[in-house]
Amino acid sequence: MKSRTSTNTTAPVHYQVELLDVQAHLFRVTLTVPAPTAQQTLRLPVWIPGSYLVREFAKHLQKLDARQGTKRVAVQQHDKATWEVACTPGTPLQVQYEVYAFDASVRTAWLDAQRGFFNGTSLCLQVPELADTPHTLAIAAAGAPKGWQVATGLEAVKCDKAGFGLYRADSYDTLVDCPVELGPFWSGSFVACGIPHRFVVAGAPPSFDGAQLLSDTQAICEAELRFWHGEAVADVKKVSASRKKDGGHSPIPFKNYVFMLAAVHDGYGGLEHKNSTALICARKDLPRLPRTTLAPTTHKQPEGYTTLLGLISHEYFHTWNVKRLRPAELARYDYTQENYTQLLWFFEGFTSYYDDLLLRRAARIDNATYLKLLSKTINQVNQTPGRLVQSVAQSSFDAWVKYYRQDENTANATVSYYTKGSLVGLCLDLTLRAEGKTSLDAVMRGLWARCAGGPMTEADLLTVLQEQTGRSYAKEIAHWVHNTKELPVAELLEQHGVQVNREPDQVAQQLGLRVKENGGLFVQQVLRGSVAEKAGFAAGDEWLAVQTEGQPWRMQALDDLTLYTGKAKKVSALVSRDKRLMTLTLAMPAPSTAVRLSIRDAAAANKWLNGA
């Protein structure tokens, strides 16, 4: 057993994290409890807030050993993530264990020779009865490759220039709500409305334009800070004066913020925290410096960069809407099991409504780009048969077993609380604006004030709507949220100067198929009621060929179908299922259409898009 050194043991709960072996992807954690109980319970969370799936983090914990002084003490495991340690009260307890870290997502932990990352929910055993007391975390520099740094939203107590050292949190919740990035990352900073922001990027290529990313992110942050707290926060002097007058406080609920972005070959995602966020994007989607060594070309940022900015906008908006305003059922997290709520349509859906809209208001995209993004969302919902099966409130409740566990039947049985929830937000906003008394912007700020930036219920939303409009919105919420009827999206957009155009659907949608084209044509999903379902296609089929007018043709992409079918009303499809060849009769579908939005009345549309 190696020596158990610790930077600090004065806090009721203290952790030391070491990079035990970057090649073996192992962190070593030493937990110190200065005053343990006789039968000290320790628990590791089974999920992480913001990602509604039981992920069983304990499966990566190994070699747990407990000692008081030099004496090893007995440890009894009670369930998959709970241990009980037989202690002598009054004698400090040290528990040491290893955590295997090889999950590149934003939800768990990662460690190799190029980068380290962890959430406290993956590494830090909870001491339940001390959960609301101060916690400290020491991140050891020993074992870290040369040139590595640390970035985290935790409060630094005593750290070196690279960020290794001692950090403090006021509770276990705060500790595990601050992920930690380690490595030789790029780092930049800016100030938005008087608040320092840091942006770190791991894995960026030489073409990465950090200045562009900082400029765009600053504009997004300032737009969202003004959204929640009004134009007053744009005056840095007023914010500073407010802090001095009110004991260091300001309307803004955080003192600093950290963006942590991992750029990888292929990936996308984010997870929100109270004063930070962890993000993943594809390297090709980062903003790029103008070319200097290749032949001159028109400099244009990747289309995926707009998607990345939307992700940044989404996670930053969560700083208010889900991390502070949050479902009353999640007022206190229970890390041992699922925490159910029917309100994810509000917290994720309304955040999804505002993420791209605030890009538009921050002047990062134009009207045409915004309407293109909104068209995509509308079509995604319209092309999901499950919207007629499951309400968006039920989708929220079922997230633990359906949204995060998608399969070949997901599109037929469920609807996304992200996409349909965002359209509920759109419908509510446009309805409020049409009536002329308020807007969803004002309602969100009203909820923030009513709930004091804390837990809320659907009843709180209805109350604020009643207060600001003078009438009940219970009927609309029941119809749009707790029912499976269609939303009045088109009618409301038309009222606000947006033209709802129709254009031919993609081949996949007309057939009712979701496929993967990778050296062949593989069926992943068959949509309910589609011509593909009626023909007998099933998930897992490989579509090999199509025969029309007696001539067989090899199929390698879905668009090949339009090339080979001509005016045929029926074709024979040759598929391979479980290595057996089958011939299916496919009736060619009637043409269907998708939505494409455009501006009809610029003055009316801009009033909404500008947030006037």
Side-chain angles (χ1 to χ4, degrees), residues 186 188-199 210-211 213-222 225 257 259 312 316:
W186 175 91
S189 62
F190 61 87
V191 175
C193 300
I195 303 297
H197 290 66
R198 184 184 186 190
F199 209 128
L213 180 64
L214 291 179
S215 176
D216 290 337
T217 304
Q218 180 180 20
I220 293 166
C221 292
E222 289 176 345
L225 286 161
Y257 194 92
F259 292 94
I312 290 168
Y316 195 68

Side-chain angles (χ1 to χ4, degrees), residues 228 320-322 324-331 341 343 345-347 350 443-444 446-448 450-462 464:
W228 285 102
W320 295 266
N321 194 43
V322 93
R324 291 173 173 84
L325 271 180
R326 65 189 190 196
E329 300 92 337
L330 274 65
T341 177
L343 282 173
W345 60 269
F346 177 89
F347 292 100
F350 281 28
V443 169
M444 297 299 287
L447 278 167
W448 179 261
R450 173 180 173 80
C451 301
M456 60 161 277
T457 65
E458 186 176 300
D460 290 313
L461 172 61
L462 291 171
V464 173

Side-chain angles (χ1 to χ4, degrees), residues 108-316:
T108 52
W110 172 271
L111 182 63
D112 68 5
Q114 284 73 49
R115 174 180 177 252
F117 173 82
F118 66 86
N119 288 286
T121 44
S122 291
L123 261 67
C124 298
L125 286 167
Q126 184 190 50
V127 185
E129 62 271 27
L130 299 177
D132 294 327
T133 65
H135 288 51
T136 51
L137 170 70
I139 304 173
K146 185 179 179 180
W148 276 36
Q149 307 170 70
V150 176
T152 179
L154 283 168
E155 177 189 346
V157 177
K158 186 177 182 182
C159 299
D160 63 21
K161 291 183 179 180
F164 290 97
L166 186 65
Y167 294 86
R168 179 188 180 279
D170 58 12
S171 66
Y172 182 81
D173 281 351
T174 300
L175 177 79
V176 300
D177 195 38
C178 294
V180 176
E181 179 75 32
L182 305 109
F185 47 71
W186 175 91
S187 179
S189 62
F190 61 87
V191 175
C193 300
I195 303 297
H197 290 66
R198 184 184 186 190
F199 209 128
V200 303
V201 182
S207 62
F208 169 54
D209 188 345
Q212 184 67 54
L213 180 64
L214 291 179
S215 176
D216 290 337
T217 304
Q218 180 180 20
I220 293 166
C221 292
E222 289 176 345
E224 297 196 8
L225 286 161
R226 289 193 295 270
F227 174 92
W228 285 102
H229 304 294
E231 290 296 327
V233 299
D235 189 327
V236 176
K237 291 182 179 179
K238 287 184 179 180
V239 173
S240 299
S242 177
R243 286 192 185 281
K244 291 179 182 179
K245 182 179 179 181
D246 195 21
H249 297 291
S250 82
I252 301 171
F254 50 92
K255 296 180 180 179
N256 51 63
Y257 194 92
V258 183
F259 292 94
M260 290 167 274
L261 173 62
V264 298
H265 172 66
D266 185 23
Y268 175 82
L271 188 62
E272 68 277 358
H273 301 278
K274 273 193 171 182
N275 71 335
S276 64
T277 184
L279 310 165
I280 290 178
C281 78
R283 289 189 186 94
K284 63 183 176 61
D285 292 338
L286 288 172
R288 300 179 193 177
L289 293 165
R291 290 181 177 178
T292 56
T293 59
L294 298 177
T297 60
T298 301
H299 178 56
K300 185 178 181 180
Q301 296 293 0
E303 286 188 11
Y305 182 48
T306 299
T307 303
L308 173 59
L309 292 180
L311 177 65
I312 290 168
S313 177
H314 183 99
E315 303 304 340
Y316 195 68

Side-chain angles (χ1 to χ4, degrees), residues 45-55 57 106-107 119-122 172-174 176-179 270-274 315 318 322-323 326 330 332-337 339 344 348 400 404 418:
V46 302
W47 70 290
I48 182 169
S51 184
Y52 306 99
L53 177 68
V54 171
R55 297 186 183 275
F57 300 130
V106 295
R107 299 175 293 265
N119 288 286
T121 44
S122 291
Y172 182 81
D173 281 351
T174 300
V176 300
D177 195 38
C178 294
L271 188 62
E272 68 277 358
H273 301 278
K274 273 193 171 182
E315 303 304 340
H318 271 322
V322 93
K323 293 309 300 183
R326 65 189 190 196
L330 274 65
R332 184 63 184 262
Y333 298 125
D334 181 350
Y335 296 103
T336 69
Q337 62 182 350
N339 291 212
L344 296 183
E348 291 292 355
W400 298 89
Y404 284 93
Y418 284 91

